[in-house]
Amino acid sequence: QVQLVESGGGLVQAGGSLRLSCVAAGSIFSINDMGWYRQAPGKQRELVASITSRGFTTYTDSVKDRFTISRENAKKTVYLQMNSLKPEDTAVYYCNADVRTSIINRLTNYWGQGTQVTVSS
């Protein structure tokens, strides 16, 4: 069983910063892509940023130059540094990862439980 445990959400004023962390725990052989998604009330879940096992990153346009995704493979951890936060960044942020639990198993996609980020104006 694999669990993704997020932390770091909270309430911040516009222009402030937060850093989200997500640790993968359990029976893990390897992790491929990791990413952060968010879902605001009444909206669909959207990809915010992703990072491959080799460190290649992608971002949705609205967070480019403000957010930075990174990972520490040895710690099975992915981070999202969020700067210059705006009220429209308010959402529940979810960690996502493609995990292989053994050398012979296929990749399985996992989600974290989500962490609330609220940006006040």
Side-chain angles (χ1 to χ4, degrees):
Q1 186 68 13
V2 173
Q3 290 183 324
L4 302 180
V5 181
E6 301 120 331
S7 61
L11 173 64
V12 65
Q13 288 189 331
S17 298
L18 284 174
R19 189 192 196 205
L20 306 183
S21 300
C22 171
V23 179
S27 178
I28 297 171
F29 175 76
S30 65
I31 304 175
N32 283 25
D33 293 356
M34 303 185 81
W36 289 94
Y37 288 71
R38 67 185 179 187
Q39 187 166 20
K43 295 188 176 181
Q44 288 188 331
R45 191 173 296 189
E46 65 170 350
L47 175 65
V48 177
S50 65
I51 185 168
T52 69
S53 59
R54 296 192 175 188
F56 294 105
T57 59
T58 60
Y59 298 90
T60 192
D61 286 345
S62 62
V63 308
K64 285 180 180 177
D65 299 323
R66 298 190 299 122
F67 291 9
T68 302
I69 189 170
S70 60
R71 63 190 284 175
E72 290 187 74
N73 291 332
K75 294 183 177 180
K76 300 182 179 66
T77 300
V78 63
Y79 306 97
L80 186 68
Q81 177 66 43
M82 304 185 294
N83 299 328
S84 302
L85 282 160
K86 304 176 181 180
E88 51 263 44
D89 294 318
T90 296
V92 178
Y93 283 70
Y94 296 91
C95 177
N96 181 268
D98 290 327
V99 178
R100 197 183 303 275
T101 56
S102 78
I103 195 170
I104 61 171
N105 286 352
R106 61 180 174 85
L107 285 170
T108 302
N109 189 255
Y110 292 91
W111 290 93
Q113 80 285 355
T115 184
Q116 177 70 46
V117 171
T118 302
V119 185
S120 63
S121 57

